[in-house]
Amino acid sequence: MIQYANYINGEWQSSNSGKTYQSINPASINEVVGEVEYSLAEELDTAASYAKQARTDWEKLTGAARGQYLYKTADILESRLEEIAEIMTKEMGKTLPEAKGETARGVAILRYYAGEGLREEGDVIPSTDADALMLTKRAPIGVVGVITPWNFPVAIPIWKIAPALIYGNTVVFKPALEASVTAAKVIECFNEAGLPNGVVNMVNGEGEVIGQQIVDNPQINGITFTGSDKTGKIVGQGALNRGAKYQLEMGGKNPVIVTKDADIDLAVDATISGGLRSTGQKCTATSRVIIEESIYPTFTEKLLKKVKEITVGNGLHPDTWMGPSVSEKQLNTVLDYIEIGKNEGATLIHGGNRLMDNGLDQGFFVEPTIFENVTTDMRIAQEEIFGPVLALMKVKDLEEALTIANDVDFGLSASIFTTNIQKMLTFIDDMEAGMVRINAESAGVELQAPFGGMKKSSSHSREQGQAAKEFYTNIKTVFIKG
Ligand SMILES: NC(=O)C1=CN([C@@H]2O[C@H](COP(=O)(O)OP(=O)(O)OC[C@H]3O[C@@H](n4cnc5c(N)ncnc54)[C@H](OP(=O)(O)O)[C@@H]3O)[C@@H](O)[C@H]2O)C=CC1
Ligand SMILES: O=C(O)CCC(=O)C(=O)O
């Protein structure tokens, strides 16, 4: 069994709590994948103090020098890709090809931000004074607290930590317990790359203790969070109360619209991939499928045929297409929503059950599930389920489709399948979502482009690409009089 202590000031340190958390394999619940500390709040404070001490020297390095550390970390992560991807699959259930893809994405993100150390960091702005030079430059925000979920245990920590570092911040990181062993492996790569002590710190433990302490600790100047809407609100309000900068990425209730002129096979494949890959556990996952009535029977028939072919099982097995839910809690949430859907009057046309045969009772497996006759007032059409559940909704035209697509509190990602250019343009303009995608699935983000949502899906900020600079730096306007 793998054991990880906390990583504070460049050293692996055990917690004084004397308690540990055992991370189990959701595909095989008697298998303990590893153990991490169940830390005390004051240990987070210690990590934050070291991060604060490390700040000045780190900030004074050139961007190029900071970039070299990220390039080194990328090389180490790449050399350990197979090992880390396998642990990810064992720890949180996504299939091995998906875990490898995510780890490779982590490598690419590190290299992207390493290069950022050599890119421009400000603008020259004309002054009304003929003898003056006016310009902007960027300053780091200081110590950044990073709170991450379990669904992308390599990519999300890296897309928060890498930009924090390249722009001159130091980091205190708290991963979700369910994916803490995989996250510790990422930190091991930073350690092997020889980052100066205190620049990156990791403290494991309960969200309500360690996450909350990141929110409350005055030495932490900025907090970046991905997770649920409920916890995001706690993080945002706590940060606001003490004047810390914050950035939140939360849920989605992402629609796919399929119009009568769409390439139906393409739309079916994208609905399955966007909705059911990673067992539906992506904030960008498709959960509502809004279909024009004239193609509804053909689309549904093709969708059902392909969903019936999905193989569910241990993500390490080469024949598995869909792994388990990450935890018993998540499995129960999904099963509860399936009951809610039935009670609300939606028609279950596929799946709906926990899988128990052929050894699957040893894990948190649920069937891919499809409801039809879903109306927009139903909870399964409004609330994030985070499971392999699709809600089909029949509409007469694009106008009705857009009304329904926008009739939720979330606005993260949305797709349309159409061959009609006017419909594409209408969708781009009228869809209330941070990511609008034409003839492509709702999930999947590119590291060099801004990522984030409208409405309740985010704090209206964006992550990744150049957008990261807005959170991880403060602008200084410089006025120089000759
Ligand atoms: N937007 C997204 O990508 C994600 C959305 N979700 C949604 O959230 C639901 C619940 O999942 P869950 O894992 O409980 O999500 P949470 O939002 O509770 O967890 C996200 C992170 O926040 C931490 N956390 C928990 N409480 C606090 C707190 N008071 N202060 C600061 N940090 C805290 C968690 O720690 P720990 O878990 O270790 O206690 C974890 O690291 C899912 O069903 C899904 O709908 C979940 C994951 C990702
Ligand atoms: O769709 C993706 O690749 C990223 C999704 C994501 O960021 C999330 O689920 O938190």
Side-chain angles (χ1 to χ4, degrees):
M1 187 179 53
I2 309 162
Q3 282 176 308
Y4 277 107
N6 291 327
Y7 182 70
I8 300 175
N9 197 31
E11 283 177 6
W12 297 94
Q13 297 180 14
S14 299
S15 166
N16 290 326
S17 72
K19 287 198 221 155
T20 53
Y21 169 86
Q22 292 200 325
S23 191
I24 60 156
N25 183 341
S28 172
I29 52 185
N30 292 321
E31 180 187 337
V32 177
V33 177
E35 206 171 63
V36 296
E37 304 295 326
Y38 217 62
S39 310
L40 303 169
E42 62 248 37
E43 289 158 347
L44 187 283
D45 295 338
T46 305
S49 303
Y50 281 117
K52 190 174 173 185
Q53 280 173 35
R55 224 187 112 171
T56 312
D57 286 351
W58 182 247
E59 183 181 334
K60 296 285 176 222
L61 288 180
T62 60
R66 288 195 295 267
Q68 286 308 317
Y69 286 107
L70 296 192
Y71 280 126
K72 235 186 201 171
T73 310
D75 292 346
I76 294 163
L77 180 63
E78 192 170 46
S79 71
R80 297 180 58 184
L81 189 146
E82 301 278 333
E83 168 214 342
I84 292 178
E86 191 175 319
I87 285 293
M88 189 193 310
T89 296
K90 283 189 180 160
E91 191 177 27
M92 54 71 66
K94 73 174 61 171
T95 63
L96 191 57
E98 288 178 281
K100 284 185 188 172
E102 183 188 334
T103 311
R105 189 183 342 172
V107 173
I109 297 168
L110 282 161
R111 292 193 176 131
Y112 175 85
Y113 284 110
E116 191 61 16
L118 286 176
R119 292 189 197 113
E120 77 284 355
E121 62 153 27
D123 300 306
V124 175
I125 299 162
S127 169
T128 53
D129 184 333
D131 299 324
L133 171 66
M134 189 160 66
L135 52 93
T136 59
K137 78 186 292 292
R138 299 272 177 167
I141 55 179
V143 179
V144 173
V146 172
I147 305 174
T148 57
W150 40 261
N151 60 337
F152 284 87
V154 169
I156 295 181
I158 289 179
W159 85 47
K160 292 175 184 298
I161 294 174
L165 296 181
I166 198 67
Y167 298 125
N169 303 281
T170 56
V171 166
V172 178
F173 168 44
K174 183 236 147 347
L177 279 170
E178 284 101 335
S180 46
V181 176
T182 311
K185 289 203 167 280
V186 172
I187 294 304
E188 212 168 43
C189 296
F190 282 105
N191 177 48
E192 280 177 35
L195 260 80
N197 292 348
V199 168
V200 170
N201 305 272
M202 178 192 68
V203 181
N204 273 301
E206 244 181 317
E208 284 174 12
V209 177
I210 302 304
Q212 189 63 50
Q213 198 64 13
I214 287 186
V215 176
D216 294 338
N217 186 306
Q219 300 184 97
I220 295 177
N221 309 92
I223 304 162
T224 174
F225 167 88
T226 300
S228 65
D229 173 51
K230 180 169 157 258
T231 307
K233 270 198 196 113
I234 296 171
V235 173
Q237 281 165 357
L240 185 68
N241 282 343
R242 65 173 183 84
K245 197 169 179 182
Y246 65 94
Q247 174 189 60
L248 315 171
E249 290 304 335
M250 298 168 289
K253 193 67 196 171
N254 311 299
V256 161
I257 295 175
V258 189
T259 65
K260 62 184 177 214
D261 49 72
D263 176 336
I264 295 184
D265 291 316
L266 183 70
V268 165
D269 287 347
T271 300
I272 292 172
S273 179
L276 307 177
R277 278 266 179 224
S278 287
T279 323
Q281 299 172 131
K282 296 183 189 177
C283 57
T284 48
T286 300
S287 60
R288 298 176 297 148
V289 194
I290 305 168
I291 309 140
E292 274 196 58
E293 58 194 5
S294 62
I295 53 150
Y296 186 90
T298 316
F299 177 87
T300 309
E301 189 191 325
K302 285 177 182 254
L303 180 73
L304 268 172
K305 184 169 176 290
K306 287 212 163 166
V307 169
K308 282 180 184 157
E309 289 165 6
I310 287 177
T311 47
V312 181
N314 188 324
L316 287 179
H317 196 283
D319 293 338
T320 296
W321 191 93
M322 192 178 98
S325 293
V326 70
S327 62
E328 190 167 16
K329 178 178 149 217
Q330 197 59 41
L331 172 74
N332 287 335
T333 303
V334 175
L335 294 173
D336 284 351
Y337 271 111
I338 292 169
E339 282 313 302
I340 290 167
K342 288 191 221 164
N343 293 336
E344 284 178 316
T347 314
L348 183 66
I349 57 169
H350 184 72
N353 299 302
R354 180 172 182 178
L355 286 159
M356 300 295 275
D357 294 342
N358 305 318
L360 295 186
D361 59 332
Q362 292 304 301
F364 306 126
F365 295 98
V366 62
E367 290 176 300
T369 296
I370 308 179
F371 280 103
E372 67 176 357
N373 296 321
V374 177
T375 53
T376 190
D377 54 321
M378 291 179 182
R379 285 182 63 193
I380 60 163
Q382 290 291 329
E383 297 172 19
E384 183 172 56
I385 300 174
F386 235 57
V389 182
L390 295 170
L392 307 190
M393 301 159 101
K394 199 191 298 178
V395 289
K396 59 177 188 311
D397 56 20
L398 178 60
E399 194 184 342
E400 187 186 359
L402 273 164
T403 304
I404 287 176
N406 283 327
D407 186 23
V408 287
D409 289 338
F410 296 106
L412 185 55
S413 184
S415 295
I416 190 168
F417 284 83
T418 180
T419 50
N420 179 307
I421 185 88
Q422 188 52 52
K423 288 182 185 170
M424 293 178 192
L425 296 175
T426 303
F427 178 77
I428 293 168
D429 283 347
D430 295 352
M431 186 67 228
E432 295 164 0
M435 321 282 295
V436 286
R437 298 170 60 86
I438 318 293
N439 295 324
E441 68 172 77
S442 65
V445 303
E446 298 217 24
L447 62 99
Q448 71 280 23
F451 170 59
M454 294 185 179
K455 302 199 269 190
K456 260 171 67 174
S457 290
S458 85
S459 53
H460 311 287
S461 42
R462 294 289 180 268
E463 296 190 275
Q464 304 200 59
Q466 292 298 298
K469 199 184 272 181
E470 300 309 323
F471 177 70
Y472 294 101
T473 66
N474 286 320
I475 293 178
K476 271 186 187 167
T477 303
V478 182
F479 183 84
I480 309 165
K481 179 85 173 154

